[in-house]
Amino acid sequence: MRTKTEEKRQAIIDVAAATFGELGFERTSMSEICTRLGGSKATLYNYFPSKEALFLEVMFQASEADFQNTMLALQTPGDDAAQTLRDFGQRFLGLLYSPNVMAVRRLLVSEGGRSNIGQRCWEMGPARGNAAIKDFLQLGIERQLLRAADTEIMMHQLLALLEAELLPRFVFQHLPAPTPEEIIQISERAVETFMRAYGSKP
């Protein structure tokens, strides 16, 4: 059973999610959330030290199921490492360029250097994802599906290849989010390049 503390925390997140959804991040204030929630502002800040921290938690809960689904792609058994990586790449880019995750990434760009929100976000998402990717790559090496190399470097290069075509539009916000068809094609090209570098067969 959840404790009252956990129930209160979740109640705050639920009210905040509705408020962010209605007003957006900029127009939402902790005072507005407190008014809708009821109770004191001190209680609200006791659970979440800033609007940014609360927003991050809201977005994390909204995206966690998709995150888990993305990581499941790496647990698919089989001898075709490239196909597994293509499946992963499509899910990964779909998640990365979803509205929730893009909102968090933009928040990190603007606020990450002024608080510990960057560290918190790293622990909630990328740190877990990177560990799963490295485990998959290590298994691929052991099964001789990939050539032996430093899995830390391999992981970074794989992620860089997957996002290479999309990062400029995110940074400059001048193009719409990629379509599902674009994501399929981008993943194909990225994995083809990765396998040329790390595939066990020339």
Side-chain angles (χ1 to χ4, degrees):
M1 294 179 63
R2 294 197 305 178
T3 66
K4 289 184 177 180
T5 298
E6 292 171 336
E7 291 174 352
K8 180 66 173 180
R9 185 176 187 275
Q10 188 59 50
I12 293 171
I13 293 171
D14 292 343
V15 170
T19 309
F20 285 128
E22 178 185 338
L23 302 178
F25 176 77
E26 294 296 337
R27 292 172 55 204
T28 296
S29 66
M30 294 292 266
S31 295
E32 177 65 24
I33 293 171
C34 187
T35 297
R36 297 188 181 199
L37 181 68
S40 69
K41 191 179 291 187
T43 299
L44 179 58
Y45 278 103
N46 186 50
Y47 283 90
F48 297 97
S50 67
K51 181 176 74 168
E52 291 77 13
L54 179 51
F55 179 76
L56 182 62
E57 199 69 33
V58 167
M59 294 298 101
F60 168 75
Q61 287 199 5
S63 303
E64 178 63 10
D66 288 334
F67 174 84
Q68 293 294 340
N69 183 56
T70 298
M71 293 303 110
L72 279 175
L74 297 176
Q75 299 176 21
T76 303
D79 296 327
D80 192 340
Q83 184 57 53
T84 299
L85 289 175
R86 283 192 289 269
D87 291 341
F88 166 76
Q90 291 171 27
R91 297 187 197 187
F92 172 75
L93 291 178
L95 173 63
L96 201 61
Y97 285 85
S98 66
N100 285 341
V101 175
M102 284 200 295
V104 169
R105 295 177 79 192
R106 290 188 177 113
L107 176 63
L108 289 173
V109 171
S110 63
E111 299 291 335
R114 294 196 287 269
S115 67
N116 68 348
I117 192 171
Q119 178 182 351
R120 175 62 175 145
C121 184
W122 173 261
E123 294 167 351
M124 293 165 73
R128 294 188 298 154
N130 290 357
I133 294 168
K134 288 195 293 184
D135 286 346
F136 170 81
L137 296 173
Q138 183 60 46
L139 181 60
I141 292 169
E142 292 171 1
R143 297 178 63 192
Q144 298 184 341
L145 303 176
L146 300 169
R147 71 172 179 82
D150 186 323
T151 57
E152 179 79 14
I153 295 173
M154 293 173 72
M155 177 268 297
H156 285 300
Q157 292 182 344
L158 172 64
L159 296 180
L161 286 167
L162 285 169
E163 202 179 0
E165 298 180 42
L166 295 174
L167 190 57
R169 75 170 67 179
F170 169 76
V171 172
F172 296 103
Q173 301 182 38
H174 70 295
L175 291 173
T179 65
E181 182 59 34
E182 281 184 286
I183 285 176
I184 291 172
Q185 295 173 357
I186 289 168
S187 298
E188 290 276 353
R189 290 189 289 267
V191 172
E192 180 182 1
T193 302
F194 181 82
M195 293 303 293
R196 285 179 180 177
Y198 291 109
S200 60
K201 298 178 181 179

